[in-house]
């Protein structure tokens, strides 16, 4: 039972952990880093909340996450072949309204709203879908237009779930159709899938795919290889489907934290002993990374440093070594990080130690927080540590030159207008002929008069904005500054800077 002594110890560990960040925060934070947070609906946090209350809740979460330094939101919009957006293909989600198929009232489109609100805060929005899951364990009633009702032969039941059978070509085609509909109609920055491929194995429970294997085995004699073939083909087809509609939309995957254990793969496995992507979920993540079928990878390394079967340090080191062909971000469990003490510093929780490991890994380009609300609630002072130390300075998105590497033209007509509200820095968008020439947002830097203008110094970034103006702070006109505006395209390639001197 949790007693007062335990509570006080938890507070002390959190406080010491926050103080321990100061040594690391003194280091220069990278200018480019993916700082994401998952906002999930499947836990029921929004279910039946109502339009106004959900918008208020999300607005508060986004405001707090912005203060924490988050620059990308991964928002769950399709948890069980349903939709938290207007869809002609799938029913409204019960995780939104409480009843599958029932539209929100007053009407709104959460995905459209989230895109607008994230962009207003300078954040990217990645739409997160669960591709194969057709019904969660807690759902009892499906809408008449749900795929499992329309085509019951295309799903199977497993441990209380309904799953779109990955062995059926028509299911791959259907998921790609759903994704293309999202990408075509919404200005998403990314499309994200998580770790649900074939279902997590349950002892004594077989996957019922004998019929599909007999029909579609393509001469593959091993059932496991055939299942991996199905998932591999799906990932490639999904990437192609996204890029066919909008080449700039990033396709990301968040796999389970263990690829293979060394006892199963002495050459490529990790020193771990847990569920495996390759053997148990039939997900060959390294194949996707090395073949360029995904644009970023976020392994869910949710364990603590010192875990007996899945040590965090072992796993982040393994992913850094083996998955460097595409940008690598680490999925972090906030609650577990602050629950456990650092083995090397028992008076602190593990956030400082984990952040040191991040900085030491040359191929780790960012972090995604599981889950957003835990950061918002500042569990174990985690959010406070982000905003005051680790993510105190803004960061641009990591580059993806395999999609586009050409910088856009510079911002035009940069000037200061003096308004009733004070000085406003304004500029105009340069023209672009194609998607890879078009400017998507801007970075504004500020330097003291006489200070070296160094655009690699992230601490000089004032804001990243989708607008073409920002309000400047006026304090009597006693200080002179140099503001620099750069333009970013959709892949965060940065233009040359345009300077503007101003006295504030």
């Amino acid at each position: 039972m949790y007693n007062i002594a335990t509570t006080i110890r938890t507070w002390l560990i959190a406080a010491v952990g926050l103080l321990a960040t100061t040594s690391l925060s003194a280091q220069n934070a990278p200018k480019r880093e993916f700082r994401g947070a998952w906002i999930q609906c499947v836990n029921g946090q929004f279910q039946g909340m109502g339009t106004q209350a959900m918008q208020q809740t999300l607005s508060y979460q986004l405001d707090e996450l912005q203060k924490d330094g988050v620059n990308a939101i991964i928002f769950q919009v399709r948890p069980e072949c349903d939709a938290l957006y207007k869809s002609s293909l799938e029913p409204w989600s019960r995780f939104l309204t409480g009843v599958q198929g029932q539209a929100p009232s007053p009407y709104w489109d959460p995905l459209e709203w989230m895109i607008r609100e994230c962009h207003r805060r300078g954040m990217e929005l990645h739409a997160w879908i669960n591709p194969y899951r057709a019904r969660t364990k807690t759902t009892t009633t499906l809408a008449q237009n749900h795929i499992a009702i329309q085509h019951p032969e295309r799903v199977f039941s497993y441990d209380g779930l309904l799953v779109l059978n990955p062995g059926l070509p028509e299911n791959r085609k259907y998921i790609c159709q759903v994704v293309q509909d999202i990408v075509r109609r919404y200005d998403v920055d990314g499309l994200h899938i998580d770790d649900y491929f074939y279902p997590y194995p349950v002892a004594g429970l077989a996957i019922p795919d004998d019929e599909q294997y007999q029909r579609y085995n393509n001469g593959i004699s091993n059932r496991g290889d055939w299942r991996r073939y199905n998932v591999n083909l799906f990932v490639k087809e999904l990437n192609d489907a996204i890029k066919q509609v909008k080449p700039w939309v990033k396709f990301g995957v968040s796999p389970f934290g263990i690829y293979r254990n060394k006892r199963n793969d002495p050459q490529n496995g990790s020193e771990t002993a847990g569920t495996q992507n390759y053997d148990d979920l039939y997900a060959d993540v390294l194949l996707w990374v090395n073949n360029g079928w995904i644009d970023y990878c976020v392994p869910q390394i949710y364990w603590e440093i010192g875990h007996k079967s899945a040590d965090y340090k072992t796993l982040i080191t393994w992913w850094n070594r083996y998955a460097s062909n595409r940008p690598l971000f680490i999925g972090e469990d906030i609650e577990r990080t602050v629950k456990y003490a650092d083995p090397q510093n028992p008076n602190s929780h593990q956030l400082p130690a984990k952040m040191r490991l991040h900085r030491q890994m040359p191929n780790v380009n960012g972090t995604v927080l599981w889950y957003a609300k835990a950061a918002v609630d500042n569990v174990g002072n985690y959010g406070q540590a982000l905003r005051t130390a680790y993510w105190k300075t803004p960061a641009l998105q990591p580059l993806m030159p395999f999609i586009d590497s050409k910088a856009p033209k510079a911002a035009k007509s940069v000037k200061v207008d003096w308004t009733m509200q004070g000085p406003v820095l304004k500029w105009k968008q340069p023209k672009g002929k194609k998607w890879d020439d078009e400017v998507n947002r801007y970075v504004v830097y500020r330097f003291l008069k006489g200070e070296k203008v160094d655009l690699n110094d992230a601490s000089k970034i004032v804001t990243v904005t989708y607008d073409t103006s920002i309000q400047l702070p006026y304090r009597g006109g006693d200080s002179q500054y140099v503001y620099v505006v750069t333009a970013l395209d959709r892949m965060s390639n940065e233009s040359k800077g345009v300077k503007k001197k101003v006295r504030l």
Side-chain angles (χ1 to χ4, degrees):
M1 181 176 289
Y2 219 65
N3 55 34
I4 287 243
T6 304
T7 303
I8 292 173
R9 173 172 169 77
T10 301
W11 289 342
L12 287 173
I13 286 177
V16 174
L18 181 57
L19 290 172
T21 65
T22 55
S23 61
L24 186 64
S25 64
Q27 302 173 10
N28 291 328
K31 177 180 171 178
R32 293 184 180 272
E33 188 173 46
F34 192 89
R35 299 173 178 174
W38 281 291
I39 296 182
Q40 85 277 39
C41 68
V42 75
N43 66 343
Q45 66 171 318
F46 306 121
Q47 186 170 318
M49 183 179 279
T51 300
Q52 184 177 4
M54 184 170 171
Q55 289 179 353
Q56 289 175 344
T57 300
L58 285 169
S59 291
Y60 174 72
Q61 291 187 3
L62 292 178
D63 286 343
E64 293 303 298
L65 292 167
Q66 183 183 22
K67 294 173 187 175
D68 289 343
V70 169
N71 61 18
I73 297 296
I74 301 177
F75 182 53
Q76 189 175 30
V77 299
R78 184 184 181 266
E80 50 179 3
C81 293
D82 52 359
L84 273 83
Y85 61 94
K86 182 177 176 56
S87 173
S88 61
L89 301 174
E90 297 187 312
W92 284 101
S93 176
R94 78 170 180 92
F95 295 109
L96 176 63
T97 64
V99 179
Q100 191 178 93
Q102 179 177 302
S105 180
Y107 179 84
W108 71 305
D109 184 324
L111 177 55
E112 180 180 62
W113 186 90
M114 281 290 286
I115 292 168
R116 182 174 65 251
E117 291 299 308
C118 286
H119 287 179
R120 188 167 68 83
R121 293 167 175 83
M123 300 172 173
E124 289 192 346
L125 189 285
H126 294 225
W128 163 21
I129 73 164
N130 302 91
Y132 292 116
R133 188 171 61 200
R135 190 194 69 199
T136 61
K137 293 182 180 182
T138 56
T139 297
T140 57
T141 305
L142 298 176
Q144 286 302 306
N145 63 330
H146 190 275
I147 186 68
I149 299 296
Q150 295 286 318
H151 293 282
E153 75 283 359
R154 285 166 56 179
V155 303
F156 62 73
S157 178
Y158 190 89
D159 190 35
L161 302 171
L162 283 183
V163 180
L164 285 177
N165 195 324
L168 291 173
E170 53 265 42
N171 282 339
R172 294 195 296 272
K173 182 178 179 181
Y174 172 69
I175 299 167
C176 288
Q177 181 185 9
V178 169
V179 167
Q180 284 193 320
D181 177 60
I182 294 172
V183 172
R184 183 176 291 112
R185 293 191 295 116
Y186 294 91
D187 188 21
V188 296
D189 300 289
L191 193 288
H192 185 89
I193 64 175
D194 58 13
D195 55 326
Y196 292 101
F197 301 104
Y198 277 88
Y200 276 77
V202 176
L205 194 59
I207 295 173
D209 59 0
D210 289 347
E211 180 182 343
Q212 291 73 36
Y213 179 59
Q214 292 300 320
R215 185 176 178 185
Y216 296 111
N217 63 59
N218 295 309
I220 301 173
S221 59
N222 179 279
R223 184 78 64 104
D225 288 342
W226 173 73
R227 289 173 180 164
R228 276 183 289 275
Y229 167 81
N230 293 331
V231 179
N232 292 339
L233 189 57
F234 162 70
V235 169
K236 184 180 186 305
E237 288 179 353
L238 183 56
N239 180 60
D240 292 344
I242 293 167
K243 297 300 190 276
Q244 181 182 358
V245 178
K246 290 178 180 175
W248 61 85
V249 171
K250 305 168 185 176
F251 176 33
V253 176
S254 175
F256 186 70
I258 299 173
Y259 175 68
R260 299 193 83 185
N261 299 312
K262 188 173 281 290
R263 69 168 181 260
N264 295 89
D265 186 346
Q267 183 176 356
N268 296 316
S270 54
E271 290 284 2
T272 49
T275 302
Q276 304 162 100
N277 277 291
Y278 186 92
D279 302 82
D280 302 316
L281 305 177
Y282 306 100
D284 191 351
V285 183
L286 291 190
L287 180 71
W288 314 338
V289 167
N290 290 326
N291 284 355
W293 295 346
I294 61 177
D295 297 319
Y296 67 86
C297 181
V298 193
Q300 299 173 23
I301 310 181
Y302 288 170
W303 303 276
E304 68 272 14
I305 298 170
H307 190 284
K308 292 181 179 180
S309 300
D311 172 58
Y312 180 93
K313 183 177 181 180
T314 296
L315 284 166
I316 193 173
T317 304
W318 187 93
W319 285 97
N320 175 74
R321 176 182 177 186
Y322 286 92
S324 62
N325 199 46
R326 281 293 183 263
L328 173 64
F329 318 138
I330 303 300
E332 293 282 355
D333 185 316
I334 292 175
E335 292 183 347
R336 187 169 294 197
T337 296
V338 301
K339 176 181 178 181
Y340 291 96
D342 178 356
Q344 303 300 317
N345 183 11
N347 291 322
S348 170
H349 61 51
Q350 294 196 355
L351 176 59
K354 286 186 174 182
M355 282 296 185
R356 280 193 295 273
L357 285 170
H358 275 241
R359 296 287 189 256
Q360 292 166 8
M361 302 292 158
N363 297 316
V364 171
N365 308 121
T367 307
V368 183
L369 306 176
W370 177 258
Y371 50 100
K373 189 175 184 299
V376 171
D377 293 343
N378 195 29
V379 175
N381 273 328
Y382 196 104
Q384 183 72 7
L386 292 180
R387 69 179 63 183
T388 59
Y390 303 113
W391 293 355
K392 182 179 180 179
T393 58
L396 309 187
Q397 298 294 338
L399 294 171
M400 294 188 176
F402 47 87
I403 297 179
D404 171 42
S405 61
K406 182 181 177 182
K409 295 180 180 178
K412 298 173 61 179
S413 306
V414 178
K415 64 179 182 177
V416 175
D417 277 355
W418 292 85
T419 70
M420 294 293 291
Q421 290 73 38
V424 176
L425 184 67
K426 304 174 69 174
W427 56 90
K428 293 182 180 179
Q429 179 175 345
K431 293 182 179 180
K433 295 181 180 180
K434 298 185 296 181
W435 73 264
D436 52 356
D437 298 322
E438 294 175 351
V439 169
N440 179 247
R441 55 200 185 281
Y442 304 88
V443 188
V444 180
Y445 303 80
R446 186 176 77 169
F447 300 87
L448 291 170
K449 181 185 177 183
E451 187 178 14
K452 180 183 178 182
V453 174
D454 180 6
L455 300 188
N456 291 316
D457 186 350
S459 69
K460 302 302 181 182
I461 297 176
V462 176
T463 188
V464 178
T465 179
Y466 286 75
D467 296 328
T468 53
S469 66
I470 65 164
Q471 187 80 41
L472 298 181
Y474 183 70
R475 298 185 177 88
D478 295 329
S479 301
Q480 292 187 358
Y481 298 95
V482 175
Y483 279 82
V484 181
V485 179
T486 64
L488 301 177
D489 62 17
R490 288 188 176 272
M491 304 317 301
S492 292
N493 296 301
E494 189 173 22
S495 75
K496 295 180 179 179
V498 180
K499 300 178 184 178
K500 185 65 183 178
K501 297 179 181 179
V502 60
R503 184 183 291 273
L504 299 174

